[in-house]
Amino acid sequence: MSNPIIEKIDKAIIDVEQRLAADIKEADIEQVRIDIFGRNGMFPALSKEMKDVPPEQRRETGQAFNVAKQKFHALLDAAQERLCGGSTDENACDIDLTLPGCKWKAGRKHPVTIMIDDCVAVFRRMGFIVAAGPDMETVYNNFDALNTPRDHPSRDAADTFYFGDGRLLRSQTSPVQIRVMKSQEPPVRIVAPGRCYRRDTPDATHSMNFHQIEGLYIDKDVSMADLKSILLSFAHEMFGPKVKIRLRPHFFPFTEPSVEYDFSCIICEGKGCSVCKNSGWLEIAGAGMVDSNVLETVGYDPEIWSGFAFGMGIERLAMLRHRISDIRWLYENDTRFLEQF
Ligand code: DAH
């Protein structure tokens, strides 16, 4: 006696074997799976027909049904395996195994961060500790407490970002000096690296956002000679023992006397080149002996305590060290550039 369900199953096996034999794609396999096992596929339909099977055929039909189920699964798995090269990763089929693999790129430190870390390491060896202050400062800490006259050009709204509520984006790291001195008794020996903000039009040497490292040393009987020796040690540690330094008289509101200090050109070794504009010297930063007005403002007795301060641009140091001609490279996040450090 014929069994229509077993006949359907046998036909379906042949059909599926043919459909899965050829050069198939992922979507073809999925379609076969849907046709066989899907909600409107063959198996659910056959299950419904089972109730019409005469009782004497139930057993063999049920067995054929189960065997067929396994057979279809085996056929589908084999087809999948052929397509994916045996991978169990369900996305493997979308991968062209003949393509070269993609390398994971490990992140790395930004050249500005490297420069900050190196500066801090040098000053730590000389006994300085790291201090920090907020980017959003008070006008008082950024200017008033630093002895900056009311009409000083750096206060101009065209140069500094004001919030209009007595606060601003700090234009220098010098306000960290005030925070540190107000929070502790002397002696003080700190460096404070951090971001600064100025309303500068970006060009090869200017950025609205840049970094400085501030130094402050307060103790008894500190002299300009101490400042010079610290700066010379820094120059040697950073750029090698041949580098010379020179101090030029300058003016900063918070130091008296004030100086600008230069390194002999690290590129031409002082002979003269385009980077040092043929002068043989590179302007590095500002420094000086902390003004007695500043000491008084923070409650230090200038008769007992004296000290020096300095501040330098991190980007400038990084640009000199790596011969970077345009500061904007440091802020464009071009990985071709950043990968070099
Ligand atoms: N704050 C100064 C600037 O941004 C740099 C500076 C000069 C810092 C002299 C100092 C200093 O601590 O003593 O131009």
Side-chain angles (χ1 to χ4, degrees), residues 146 171-175 177 196 198 210 212-216 227 250-261 285-290 308-313:
L146 286 165
S171 59
Q172 50 189 355
T173 43
S174 305
Q177 292 186 30
C196 304
R198 284 183 201 174
F210 56 98
Q212 288 185 339
I213 184 163
E214 190 80 12
L216 177 67
L227 168 64
H250 199 74
F251 172 80
F252 294 104
F254 33 89
T255 42
E256 181 58 35
S258 301
V259 293
E260 266 191 338
Y261 64 92
M289 300 309 290
V290 178
F308 61 78
F310 56 86
M312 43 194 155

Side-chain angles (χ1 to χ4, degrees), residues 180-230:
V180 169
M181 288 191 282
K182 284 211 164 179
S183 67
Q184 69 163 85
E185 292 301 318
V188 175
R189 205 184 277 196
I190 58 106
V191 282
R195 282 180 189 273
C196 304
Y197 305 82
R198 284 183 201 174
R199 283 186 183 269
D200 279 330
T201 306
D203 64 21
T205 53
H206 293 87
S207 166
M208 284 187 281
N209 174 211
F210 56 98
H211 296 73
Q212 288 185 339
I213 184 163
E214 190 80 12
L216 177 67
Y217 187 117
I218 307 278
D219 210 327
K220 289 179 181 151
D221 303 322
V222 181
S223 73
M224 203 83 177
D226 300 312
L227 168 64
K228 200 171 173 189
S229 92
I230 291 281

